[in-house]
Amino acid sequence: MRLSGKTKVFSRCLGAVFACLLLSSQVFAVTLQSVRMHEAPDSTRVVFDTNGKVRFKVFTLDNPHRVVVDLLNVNGQGDFDPSMVAVARERVEALRAAPRGSGYRVVIDVRKTLKPNAFTLRPIDPYGHRLVVDLIDPDQKPRILAQPRSRPDRNVIVAIDAGHGGDDPGAIGPRNILEKQVVLQIAKKVKKRIDNMQGFKALLIRTGDYYLTHRRRTELARQARADLFLSIHADSFKMASVSGASVYTLSDRGATSETAAYLAERENRSDLLGGVGDVSLSNRDPVVAHVLLDLSMDANRSESIAAGEAILANMGRVTKLHKRGVEQAAFVVLKSPDMPSLLIETGFISNPKEAKRLSQADHQNNLARAIARGVKQYAHSNPPPGTLLAKLGGDMRYTIVRGDTLSTIAQRYGISSTTLKSLNGLTTDRIRVGQVILIPSGG
Ligand SMILES: [Zn+2]
Protein backbone atom coordinates (compact mmCIF):
# COMPACT_ATOMS: atom_id res chain seq x y z
CA MET A 1 0.00 0.00 0.00
CA ARG A 2 2.83 2.35 0.80
CA LEU A 3 4.52 1.47 -2.48
CA SER A 4 1.57 2.39 -4.66
CA GLY A 5 1.32 5.74 -2.86
CA LYS A 6 4.94 6.44 -3.66
CA THR A 7 4.53 5.47 -7.32
CA LYS A 8 1.65 7.86 -7.65
CA VAL A 9 3.73 10.65 -6.14
CA PHE A 10 6.71 10.04 -8.42
CA SER A 11 4.61 10.06 -11.58
CA ARG A 12 3.15 13.39 -10.60
CA CYS A 13 6.62 14.68 -9.83
CA LEU A 14 7.45 14.52 -13.53
CA GLY A 15 4.93 17.32 -14.04
CA ALA A 16 5.77 19.86 -11.40
CA VAL A 17 8.58 19.52 -8.91
CA PHE A 18 7.17 22.20 -6.65
CA ALA A 19 3.70 20.68 -6.47
CA CYS A 20 5.32 17.33 -5.84
CA LEU A 21 7.12 18.57 -2.73
CA LEU A 22 3.86 19.88 -1.39
CA LEU A 23 2.04 16.67 -2.21
CA SER A 24 4.67 14.34 -0.77
CA SER A 25 4.60 16.13 2.55
CA GLN A 26 0.90 15.31 2.70
CA VAL A 27 1.15 11.75 1.43
CA PHE A 28 4.01 10.85 3.78
CA ALA A 29 2.61 12.49 6.89
CA VAL A 30 3.13 10.00 9.67
CA THR A 31 -0.08 8.53 11.02
CA LEU A 32 -0.77 6.45 14.08
CA GLN A 33 -2.18 3.08 13.06
CA SER A 34 -2.60 1.11 16.25
CA VAL A 35 -1.60 0.84 19.89
CA ARG A 36 -0.98 -2.45 21.70
CA MET A 37 -0.23 -3.21 25.34
CA HIS A 38 1.58 -6.13 26.94
CA GLU A 39 1.76 -6.67 30.67
CA ALA A 40 4.94 -8.08 32.25
CA PRO A 41 5.51 -8.73 35.96
CA ASP A 42 7.64 -5.58 36.39
CA SER A 43 6.44 -3.31 33.57
CA THR A 44 3.75 -2.60 31.01
CA ARG A 45 4.76 -2.16 27.38
CA VAL A 46 2.82 0.18 25.11
CA VAL A 47 3.59 -0.14 21.40
CA PHE A 48 2.58 2.54 18.88
CA ASP A 49 2.48 1.44 15.25
CA THR A 50 3.12 4.26 12.82
CA ASN A 51 3.72 4.40 9.08
CA GLY A 52 6.97 6.36 9.43
CA LYS A 53 9.67 7.11 11.98
CA VAL A 54 8.14 9.09 14.78
CA ARG A 55 9.64 11.98 16.76
CA PHE A 56 8.37 11.90 20.32
CA LYS A 57 8.43 13.35 23.81
CA VAL A 58 7.38 11.39 26.88
CA PHE A 59 6.74 12.80 30.34
CA THR A 60 4.66 12.07 33.44
CA LEU A 61 2.07 14.10 35.37
CA ASP A 62 0.73 13.52 38.88
CA ASN A 63 -2.68 13.95 40.54
CA PRO A 64 -3.93 11.86 38.89
CA HIS A 65 -1.00 9.83 37.55
CA ARG A 66 -0.59 10.13 33.79
CA VAL A 67 2.02 9.33 31.19
CA VAL A 68 1.90 11.74 28.25
CA VAL A 69 3.27 10.65 24.87
CA ASP A 70 3.55 13.49 22.38
CA LEU A 71 3.94 12.22 18.83
CA LEU A 72 5.46 15.39 17.39
CA ASN A 73 5.32 14.59 13.68
CA VAL A 74 2.15 12.51 13.68
CA ASN A 75 -0.60 14.62 12.21
CA GLY A 76 -3.26 12.11 11.56
CA GLN A 77 -4.64 9.16 13.40
CA GLY A 78 -5.37 7.07 10.31
CA ASP A 79 -7.73 4.26 11.21
CA PHE A 80 -6.64 4.36 14.83
CA ASP A 81 -9.42 4.50 17.39
CA PRO A 82 -8.24 4.93 21.02
CA SER A 83 -11.40 3.36 22.38
CA MET A 84 -10.49 0.09 20.63
CA VAL A 85 -7.19 -0.39 22.48
CA ALA A 86 -7.21 -3.40 24.78
CA VAL A 87 -5.95 -1.70 27.93
CA ALA A 88 -3.60 -3.67 30.19
CA ARG A 89 -5.66 -3.22 33.34
CA GLU A 90 -3.15 -3.95 36.07
CA ARG A 91 -1.38 -0.60 35.85
CA VAL A 92 -3.29 1.32 33.17
CA GLU A 93 -6.71 2.84 33.70
CA ALA A 94 -7.46 4.27 30.25
CA LEU A 95 -5.96 5.71 27.11
CA ARG A 96 -6.98 8.96 25.43
CA ALA A 97 -5.72 10.61 22.26
CA ALA A 98 -6.28 13.87 20.41
CA PRO A 99 -4.51 16.18 17.95
CA ARG A 100 -2.33 18.74 19.64
CA GLY A 101 -0.53 21.55 17.81
CA SER A 102 1.06 20.07 14.71
CA GLY A 103 1.25 16.64 16.35
CA TYR A 104 -0.83 14.15 18.25
CA ARG A 105 -1.03 13.60 22.01
CA VAL A 106 -1.71 10.28 23.72
CA VAL A 107 -2.48 10.36 27.44
CA ILE A 108 -2.19 7.12 29.38
CA ASP A 109 -4.06 7.26 32.69
CA VAL A 110 -2.11 5.06 35.07
CA ARG A 111 -2.92 3.76 38.54
CA LYS A 112 0.42 4.66 40.13
CA THR A 113 3.75 6.36 39.45
CA LEU A 114 5.46 4.54 36.61
CA LYS A 115 8.83 5.32 35.08
CA PRO A 116 8.63 5.54 31.27
CA ASN A 117 11.43 4.36 28.99
CA ALA A 118 10.77 5.05 25.30
CA PHE A 119 12.55 4.07 22.09
CA THR A 120 11.74 3.52 18.42
CA LEU A 121 12.18 0.33 16.40
CA ARG A 122 12.89 0.07 12.69
CA PRO A 123 10.48 -1.89 10.51
CA ILE A 124 10.78 -5.67 10.45
CA ASP A 125 8.23 -7.91 8.81
CA PRO A 126 5.33 -8.01 9.81
CA TYR A 127 5.78 -4.72 11.69
CA GLY A 128 6.38 -1.22 10.35
CA HIS A 129 7.85 1.60 12.42
CA ARG A 130 7.18 1.25 16.14
CA LEU A 131 7.50 3.51 19.14
CA VAL A 132 7.81 1.48 22.33
CA VAL A 133 7.06 2.99 25.72
CA ASP A 134 7.92 0.70 28.63
CA LEU A 135 6.22 1.80 31.84
CA ILE A 136 8.42 0.47 34.59
CA ASP A 137 6.83 -0.29 37.94
CA PRO A 138 9.28 0.84 40.66
CA ASP A 139 7.37 -0.97 43.42
CA GLN A 140 7.66 -4.31 41.72
CA LYS A 141 10.13 -6.28 43.79
CA PRO A 142 12.39 -8.60 41.87
CA ARG A 143 10.73 -11.97 41.64
CA ILE A 144 11.35 -14.15 44.69
CA LEU A 145 14.01 -16.39 43.37
CA ALA A 146 15.31 -19.73 44.34
CA GLN A 147 17.21 -20.65 47.43
CA PRO A 148 20.90 -19.83 47.80
CA ARG A 149 23.33 -22.43 46.49
CA SER A 150 24.95 -22.72 49.91
CA ARG A 151 21.84 -24.22 51.48
CA PRO A 152 22.50 -27.87 52.23
CA ASP A 153 20.39 -30.38 50.35
CA ARG A 154 19.06 -27.73 48.03
CA ASN A 155 16.70 -28.49 45.18
CA VAL A 156 17.78 -28.93 41.58
CA ILE A 157 16.55 -25.74 39.91
CA VAL A 158 15.16 -25.97 36.40
CA ALA A 159 14.50 -22.73 34.49
CA ILE A 160 11.70 -23.15 31.96
CA ASP A 161 11.53 -20.51 29.28
CA ALA A 162 8.52 -20.26 26.96
CA GLY A 163 9.87 -18.73 23.74
CA HIS A 164 8.70 -15.45 22.17
CA GLY A 165 5.77 -13.45 23.64
CA GLY A 166 4.28 -9.98 23.29
CA ASP A 167 4.97 -8.47 19.87
CA ASP A 168 6.85 -11.60 18.86
CA PRO A 169 4.29 -14.34 18.15
CA GLY A 170 6.90 -16.89 17.09
CA ALA A 171 5.65 -19.33 14.46
CA ILE A 172 2.07 -18.85 13.30
CA GLY A 173 0.13 -21.99 12.49
CA PRO A 174 -3.13 -22.60 10.66
CA ARG A 175 -6.24 -21.09 12.26
CA ASN A 176 -3.99 -18.56 13.99
CA ILE A 177 -2.44 -21.02 16.45
CA LEU A 178 0.46 -19.02 17.87
CA GLU A 179 3.74 -20.49 19.06
CA LYS A 180 3.96 -17.95 21.92
CA GLN A 181 0.65 -19.19 23.37
CA VAL A 182 1.18 -22.91 22.87
CA VAL A 183 4.68 -22.91 24.38
CA LEU A 184 3.57 -20.94 27.44
CA GLN A 185 0.81 -23.50 28.07
CA ILE A 186 3.31 -26.34 27.76
CA ALA A 187 5.92 -24.55 29.91
CA LYS A 188 3.38 -24.08 32.72
CA LYS A 189 2.56 -27.78 32.61
CA VAL A 190 6.25 -28.73 32.71
CA LYS A 191 6.75 -26.46 35.73
CA LYS A 192 3.87 -28.09 37.60
CA ARG A 193 5.28 -31.58 37.02
CA ILE A 194 8.83 -30.63 37.98
CA ASP A 195 7.62 -28.90 41.17
CA ASN A 196 5.95 -32.18 42.10
CA MET A 197 9.21 -34.15 41.86
CA GLN A 198 11.15 -34.58 45.09
CA GLY A 199 14.36 -32.55 45.11
CA PHE A 200 13.36 -30.30 42.18
CA LYS A 201 12.07 -26.78 41.80
CA ALA A 202 11.08 -25.12 38.54
CA LEU A 203 11.13 -21.44 37.65
CA LEU A 204 9.00 -20.04 34.84
CA ILE A 205 11.00 -17.37 33.00
CA ARG A 206 8.10 -15.83 31.07
CA THR A 207 4.79 -15.91 32.94
CA GLY A 208 2.46 -14.11 30.51
CA ASP A 209 2.11 -12.56 27.07
CA TYR A 210 5.02 -10.15 27.03
CA TYR A 211 8.44 -10.12 25.45
CA LEU A 212 11.75 -10.72 27.20
CA THR A 213 15.03 -10.25 25.38
CA HIS A 214 17.19 -13.33 24.94
CA ARG A 215 19.69 -11.78 27.31
CA ARG A 216 17.08 -11.16 30.00
CA ARG A 217 15.86 -14.76 29.83
CA THR A 218 19.22 -16.26 30.67
CA GLU A 219 19.85 -13.50 33.21
CA LEU A 220 16.71 -14.49 35.15
CA ALA A 221 17.78 -18.12 35.09
CA ARG A 222 21.24 -17.18 36.29
CA GLN A 223 19.85 -15.06 39.14
CA ALA A 224 17.88 -18.11 40.25
CA ARG A 225 21.08 -20.16 40.03
CA ALA A 226 19.40 -22.60 37.75
CA ASP A 227 21.05 -25.97 37.15
CA LEU A 228 19.36 -26.47 33.80
CA PHE A 229 17.81 -24.09 31.26
CA LEU A 230 15.03 -25.31 28.97
CA SER A 231 13.73 -23.06 26.22
CA ILE A 232 10.43 -24.35 24.84
CA HIS A 233 9.42 -23.65 21.25
CA ALA A 234 7.36 -24.96 18.34
CA ASP A 235 8.82 -25.19 14.86
CA SER A 236 7.72 -23.97 11.50
CA PHE A 237 8.92 -24.85 8.04
CA LYS A 238 7.98 -23.83 4.51
CA MET A 239 6.65 -27.32 3.80
CA ALA A 240 3.50 -28.05 5.80
CA SER A 241 4.15 -31.81 5.64
CA VAL A 242 7.21 -31.63 7.93
CA SER A 243 6.45 -32.71 11.51
CA GLY A 244 7.99 -33.99 14.74
CA ALA A 245 9.80 -32.78 17.84
CA SER A 246 13.51 -32.06 18.17
CA VAL A 247 16.00 -31.02 20.82
CA TYR A 248 18.93 -28.66 20.26
CA THR A 249 22.00 -27.72 22.21
CA LEU A 250 24.24 -24.76 21.63
CA SER A 251 27.03 -24.75 19.16
CA ASP A 252 29.35 -21.80 18.63
CA ARG A 253 30.88 -23.47 15.61
CA GLY A 254 27.84 -23.45 13.39
CA ALA A 255 24.97 -25.82 13.04
CA THR A 256 25.01 -29.58 12.63
CA SER A 257 22.42 -29.48 9.85
CA GLU A 258 20.78 -27.12 7.43
CA THR A 259 17.51 -27.23 9.37
CA ALA A 260 19.40 -26.31 12.51
CA ALA A 261 20.96 -23.31 10.76
CA TYR A 262 17.59 -22.22 9.38
CA LEU A 263 15.98 -22.53 12.81
CA ALA A 264 18.73 -20.64 14.57
CA GLU A 265 18.31 -17.78 12.13
CA ARG A 266 14.55 -17.68 12.69
CA GLU A 267 14.70 -17.91 16.49
CA ASN A 268 17.51 -15.38 16.74
CA ARG A 269 15.33 -12.86 14.88
CA SER A 270 13.03 -12.68 17.92
CA ASP A 271 14.77 -9.77 19.61
CA LEU A 272 14.09 -7.62 16.56
CA LEU A 273 10.40 -8.53 16.58
CA GLY A 274 9.93 -8.48 20.32
CA GLY A 275 11.75 -5.20 20.54
CA VAL A 276 15.04 -4.49 22.23
CA GLY A 277 15.53 -0.89 23.23
CA ASP A 278 19.04 -1.00 24.54
CA VAL A 279 21.29 -2.58 21.97
CA SER A 280 24.48 -1.95 23.90
CA LEU A 281 24.00 -5.15 25.82
CA SER A 282 27.29 -5.23 27.61
CA ASN A 283 30.35 -3.05 27.86
CA ARG A 284 32.60 -5.96 28.68
CA ASP A 285 35.48 -6.54 26.32
CA PRO A 286 33.96 -8.79 23.64
CA VAL A 287 37.17 -10.79 23.20
CA VAL A 288 37.44 -11.60 26.89
CA ALA A 289 33.74 -12.34 27.08
CA HIS A 290 34.03 -14.74 24.17
CA VAL A 291 36.94 -16.61 25.74
CA LEU A 292 35.05 -16.94 29.01
CA LEU A 293 32.07 -18.25 27.10
CA ASP A 294 34.19 -20.85 25.33
CA LEU A 295 35.85 -22.07 28.50
CA SER A 296 32.73 -22.69 30.47
CA MET A 297 30.72 -23.88 27.52
CA ASP A 298 32.97 -26.85 26.89
CA ALA A 299 32.12 -28.21 30.31
CA ASN A 300 28.44 -27.69 29.68
CA ARG A 301 28.23 -29.01 26.17
CA SER A 302 28.42 -32.69 27.09
CA GLU A 303 25.99 -32.16 29.98
CA SER A 304 23.58 -30.35 27.69
CA ILE A 305 23.75 -33.23 25.23
CA ALA A 306 23.16 -35.80 28.00
CA ALA A 307 20.13 -33.85 29.24
CA GLY A 308 18.90 -33.44 25.66
CA GLU A 309 19.17 -37.17 24.98
CA ALA A 310 17.15 -38.04 28.10
CA ILE A 311 14.40 -35.59 27.16
CA LEU A 312 14.36 -36.61 23.50
CA ALA A 313 14.06 -40.32 24.42
CA ASN A 314 11.01 -39.57 26.58
CA MET A 315 9.43 -37.30 23.98
CA GLY A 316 9.83 -40.07 21.44
CA ARG A 317 7.30 -42.09 23.44
CA VAL A 318 4.57 -39.48 23.12
CA THR A 319 5.20 -37.81 19.77
CA LYS A 320 6.94 -38.31 16.45
CA LEU A 321 10.55 -37.15 16.44
CA HIS A 322 11.84 -34.95 13.64
CA LYS A 323 15.44 -36.04 14.29
CA ARG A 324 16.54 -39.04 16.38
CA GLY A 325 19.57 -37.35 17.89
CA VAL A 326 20.20 -34.09 19.73
CA GLU A 327 21.17 -31.42 17.21
CA GLN A 328 23.39 -28.41 17.63
CA ALA A 329 22.67 -24.86 16.50
CA ALA A 330 23.82 -21.36 17.34
CA PHE A 331 20.79 -20.07 19.25
CA VAL A 332 21.27 -16.82 21.12
CA VAL A 333 18.93 -17.86 23.91
CA LEU A 334 21.19 -20.79 24.71
CA LYS A 335 24.31 -18.70 25.18
CA SER A 336 24.15 -19.18 28.92
CA PRO A 337 27.53 -20.62 29.70
CA ASP A 338 27.08 -21.44 33.35
CA MET A 339 24.25 -23.93 32.98
CA PRO A 340 23.48 -26.75 30.59
CA SER A 341 20.86 -25.42 28.19
CA LEU A 342 18.46 -26.94 25.72
CA LEU A 343 16.09 -25.67 23.11
CA ILE A 344 13.11 -28.00 22.78
CA GLU A 345 11.05 -27.75 19.62
CA THR A 346 7.83 -29.51 20.63
CA GLY A 347 6.63 -30.04 17.07
CA PHE A 348 5.85 -28.20 13.83
CA ILE A 349 3.15 -25.59 14.17
CA SER A 350 3.28 -25.19 10.37
CA ASN A 351 1.86 -28.71 10.05
CA PRO A 352 -1.97 -28.41 10.41
CA LYS A 353 -2.37 -31.76 12.21
CA GLU A 354 0.51 -31.17 14.59
CA ALA A 355 -0.53 -27.55 15.24
CA LYS A 356 -3.93 -28.79 16.35
CA ARG A 357 -2.38 -31.41 18.64
CA LEU A 358 0.04 -28.88 20.11
CA SER A 359 -2.87 -26.67 21.11
CA GLN A 360 -4.73 -29.52 22.86
CA ALA A 361 -4.37 -29.97 26.64
CA ASP A 362 -4.01 -33.78 26.39
CA HIS A 363 -1.04 -33.65 24.05
CA GLN A 364 0.49 -30.76 26.00
CA ASN A 365 0.26 -32.89 29.16
CA ASN A 366 1.97 -35.81 27.42
CA LEU A 367 4.79 -33.57 26.22
CA ALA A 368 5.14 -31.96 29.66
CA ARG A 369 5.31 -35.37 31.34
CA ALA A 370 7.98 -36.53 28.88
CA ILE A 371 10.09 -33.39 29.37
CA ALA A 372 9.83 -33.63 33.18
CA ARG A 373 10.81 -37.31 33.09
CA GLY A 374 13.78 -36.54 30.91
CA VAL A 375 14.89 -33.87 33.37
CA LYS A 376 14.49 -36.33 36.25
CA GLN A 377 16.48 -39.08 34.56
CA TYR A 378 19.25 -36.70 33.55
CA ALA A 379 19.53 -35.11 37.00
CA HIS A 380 19.46 -38.46 38.77
CA SER A 381 22.43 -39.67 36.77
CA ASN A 382 24.23 -36.27 36.99
CA PRO A 383 23.14 -34.81 40.33
CA PRO A 384 24.41 -31.21 40.73
CA PRO A 385 26.73 -30.85 43.76
CA GLY A 386 25.10 -29.72 47.01
CA THR A 387 21.65 -30.94 46.06
CA LEU A 388 19.45 -33.37 47.92
CA LEU A 389 19.72 -35.53 44.85
CA ALA A 390 23.50 -35.66 45.12
CA LYS A 391 23.22 -36.59 48.79
CA LEU A 392 20.91 -39.46 48.04
CA GLY A 393 23.51 -40.59 45.55
CA GLY A 394 21.15 -40.35 42.64
CA ASP A 395 19.43 -43.44 41.39
CA MET A 396 21.05 -46.79 40.98
CA ARG A 397 21.50 -48.05 37.47
CA TYR A 398 20.47 -51.62 36.91
CA THR A 399 21.13 -53.68 33.80
CA ILE A 400 18.37 -56.11 32.89
CA VAL A 401 19.44 -59.78 32.76
CA ARG A 402 17.65 -62.81 31.35
CA GLY A 403 14.67 -63.82 33.48
CA ASP A 404 14.02 -60.32 34.89
CA THR A 405 10.54 -58.88 34.79
CA LEU A 406 9.55 -55.41 35.86
CA SER A 407 7.53 -56.74 38.78
CA THR A 408 10.34 -58.99 40.12
CA ILE A 409 12.79 -56.07 40.01
CA ALA A 410 10.26 -53.82 41.75
CA GLN A 411 9.71 -56.45 44.42
CA ARG A 412 13.43 -56.93 44.97
CA TYR A 413 13.94 -53.21 45.66
CA GLY A 414 10.75 -52.75 47.66
CA ILE A 415 9.09 -50.33 45.27
CA SER A 416 5.98 -50.51 43.10
CA SER A 417 6.19 -51.31 39.39
CA THR A 418 4.27 -48.09 38.77
CA THR A 419 7.05 -46.05 40.41
CA LEU A 420 9.64 -47.96 38.44
CA LYS A 421 7.82 -47.40 35.17
CA SER A 422 7.23 -43.73 35.89
CA LEU A 423 10.87 -43.08 36.80
CA ASN A 424 12.02 -44.74 33.62
CA GLY A 425 9.37 -43.28 31.37
CA LEU A 426 8.10 -46.76 30.46
CA THR A 427 4.57 -47.07 29.13
CA THR A 428 4.43 -50.88 29.07
CA ASP A 429 5.89 -53.70 31.21
CA ARG A 430 8.16 -54.74 28.37
CA ILE A 431 11.91 -54.75 29.14
CA ARG A 432 14.79 -56.31 27.27
CA VAL A 433 18.06 -57.97 28.27
CA GLY A 434 20.88 -55.41 28.45
CA GLN A 435 18.53 -52.47 28.98
CA VAL A 436 19.66 -50.09 31.75
CA ILE A 437 16.98 -48.83 34.12
CA LEU A 438 17.09 -46.53 37.12
CA ILE A 439 16.18 -47.78 40.57
CA PRO A 440 15.26 -45.00 43.02
CA SER A 441 17.60 -44.82 46.00
CA GLY A 442 17.06 -43.39 49.46
CA GLY A 443 13.37 -42.75 49.61
ZN1 LIG B 1 10.41 -20.37 18.59
Side-chain angles (χ1 to χ4, degrees), residues 202-213:
L203 164 85
L204 214 52
I205 297 292
R206 173 165 81 80
T207 55
D209 185 18
Y210 54 90
Y211 190 73
L212 289 168
T213 63

Side-chain angles (χ1 to χ4, degrees), residues 163-164 170-171 179 232-234 266-267 270 345:
H164 314 278
E179 177 183 356
I232 301 190
H233 289 254
R266 194 170 55 73
E267 299 293 2
S270 285
E345 297 277 6

